[in-house]
């Protein structure tokens, strides 16, 4: 049986080794269980005590839902949206929604405070190699949020785009901002095509800008207000997948672009 001094030294060492876990979004109970596992590995004589402690931690902090990996989410979204969704697209959507961040130095995903509502960070060990670290798991509550985001982002409109590249990275977002500034200065974009009507997602897709569901709702509210002032009525609605969107005539496109620019570049329109 190890002495109290040996145990104290082991705990100090384990604390140093697990300091980085606190930056990964892991729950306190998961970190505590990792510490007891490490202690039991260093001193097998303490395995019984460690197991008892872990049971108490598990009883005090039960997991109501195991959660799903991004790969599992992608498979469910592919079925529900009837469109091939890749795990990489789900990861980008979760970043855009503010639910996770990427630590490139450690090559791990980190759960944000907002993400803790819909997911959890757990310790995981690969069954095929020696890798071990934190892994994010997502609750079913994230599915309708992702469905709405992916639908509104316009990636379901073009079935040939199997990579779902409509979810842009930061560099694409900067390019989009320049396009919007050009619209504000020179009027509507020349990419109007010969369409009789437009919805907000359709126009956003043509302009190549990146938005989230809240921004789409705000854009539509501004456009609806302008439509009501111009035509003294509310715009007709059209159903795209599971969502309803206002439909605007092509002659209204200048006002639609103005609404988009107002939401995405508010400082430019003041």
């Amino acid at each position: 049986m190890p002495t109290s001094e040996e145990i104290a030294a082991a705990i100090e060492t384990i604390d140093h080794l697990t300091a980085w876990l606190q930056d990964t979004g892991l729950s306190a109970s998961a970190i505590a269980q990792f510490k007891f596992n490490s202690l039991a590995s260093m001193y097998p004589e303490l395995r019984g005590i460690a197991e008892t402690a872990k049971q108490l931690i598990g009883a005090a902090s039960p997991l109501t839902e195991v959660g799903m990996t991004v790969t599992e989410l992608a498979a469910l979204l592919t079925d529900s949206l009837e469109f091939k969704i890749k795990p990489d697209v789900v990861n980008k959507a979760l970043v855009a929604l503010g639910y996770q961040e990427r630590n490139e130095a450690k090559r791990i995903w980190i759960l944000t405070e907002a993400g803790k509502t819909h997911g959890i960070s757990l310790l995981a060990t690969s069954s095929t190699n020696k890798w071990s670290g934190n892994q994010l798991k997502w609750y079913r509550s994230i599915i309708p949020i992702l469905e709405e985001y992916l639908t509104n982002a316009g990636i379901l409109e073009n079935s040939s785009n199997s990579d779902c590249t409509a979810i842009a990275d930061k560099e694409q977002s900067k390019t989009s901002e320049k396009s919007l500034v050009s619209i504000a200065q020179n009027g509507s974009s020349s990419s109007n095509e010969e369409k009789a009507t437009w919805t907000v997602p359709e126009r956003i897709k043509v302009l190549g800008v990146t938005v989230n569901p809240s921004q789409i709702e705000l854009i539509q509210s501004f456009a609806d207000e302008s439509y009501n002032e111009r035509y003294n009525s509310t715009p007709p609605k059209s159903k795209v997948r599971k969502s309803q969107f206002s439909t605007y005539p092509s002659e209204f496109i200048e006002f639609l672009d103005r609404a988009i620019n107002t939401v995405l570049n508010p400082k430019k329109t003041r």
Side-chain angles (χ1 to χ4, degrees):
M1 183 69 68
T3 64
S4 58
E5 289 81 8
E6 290 174 328
I7 294 175
I11 292 176
E12 184 177 357
T13 300
I14 293 170
D15 284 341
H16 283 299
L17 293 174
T18 57
W20 68 272
L21 294 176
Q22 297 175 355
D23 298 327
T24 65
L26 283 172
S27 65
S29 61
I31 293 176
Q33 292 196 33
F34 175 79
K35 289 182 177 182
F36 279 111
N37 283 337
S38 300
L39 186 62
S41 296
M42 296 175 70
Y43 295 108
E45 303 96 322
L46 301 178
R47 188 174 300 279
I49 296 175
E51 288 300 322
T52 300
K54 286 163 57 182
Q55 290 175 8
L56 290 173
I57 294 171
S61 304
L63 295 179
T64 57
E65 187 178 350
V66 175
M68 294 170 284
T69 64
V70 165
T71 300
E72 292 169 330
L73 280 177
L76 286 175
L77 290 167
T78 294
D79 291 338
S80 65
L81 297 175
E82 298 180 352
F83 189 95
K84 178 62 178 177
I85 303 296
K86 294 184 178 181
D88 180 59
V89 172
V90 177
N91 271 326
K92 289 180 180 179
L94 291 169
V95 170
L97 290 166
Y99 294 146
Q100 70 176 11
E101 297 173 347
R102 182 69 173 174
N103 185 321
E104 292 297 344
K106 297 177 180 177
R107 300 178 65 184
I108 58 174
W109 291 106
I110 298 175
L111 197 66
T112 64
E113 284 299 318
K116 291 178 181 179
T117 303
H118 304 288
I120 189 170
S121 183
L122 301 172
L123 285 171
T125 301
S126 173
S127 59
T128 58
N129 54 47
K130 296 182 179 180
W131 177 89
S132 64
N134 74 306
Q135 182 182 45
L136 303 190
K137 293 288 190 76
W138 300 95
Y139 305 143
R140 296 193 69 85
S141 60
I142 196 66
I143 294 177
I145 297 175
L146 287 170
E147 287 177 339
E148 181 181 9
Y149 177 83
L150 295 173
T151 299
N152 291 345
I155 69 168
L156 307 182
E157 301 291 329
N158 186 0
S159 59
S160 65
N161 190 354
S162 59
D163 290 331
C164 300
T165 54
I167 299 180
D169 55 18
K170 291 183 179 179
E171 290 302 315
Q172 182 181 3
S173 297
K174 292 178 182 178
T175 302
S176 300
E177 290 178 6
K178 292 179 181 178
S179 298
L180 286 170
V181 172
S182 177
I183 292 173
Q185 295 173 342
N186 305 318
S188 297
S189 168
S190 60
S191 307
N192 291 346
E193 303 180 1
E194 294 183 358
K195 287 177 60 66
T197 60
W198 290 88
T199 63
V200 172
E202 288 172 342
R203 188 59 182 160
I204 285 171
K205 182 181 177 183
V206 169
L207 294 175
V209 296
T210 303
V211 297
N212 60 43
S214 297
Q215 288 173 321
I216 285 184
E217 291 181 8
L218 190 55
I219 291 169
Q220 181 164 285
S221 68
F222 281 134
D224 285 355
E225 184 178 349
S226 296
Y227 186 98
N228 188 26
E229 292 176 357
R230 184 176 176 82
Y231 300 104
N232 197 28
S233 65
T234 57
K237 302 289 183 180
S238 63
K239 189 172 183 180
V240 180
R241 298 286 177 173
K242 298 180 180 180
S243 303
Q244 293 276 351
F245 295 103
S246 297
T247 301
Y248 312 102
S250 58
E251 64 186 39
F252 187 77
I253 198 168
E254 178 182 348
F255 298 92
L256 181 54
D257 286 346
R258 189 179 303 168
I260 294 171
N261 195 54
T262 298
V263 173
L264 300 188
N265 284 293
K267 293 182 180 180
K268 300 291 184 179
T269 55
R270 287 179 182 176

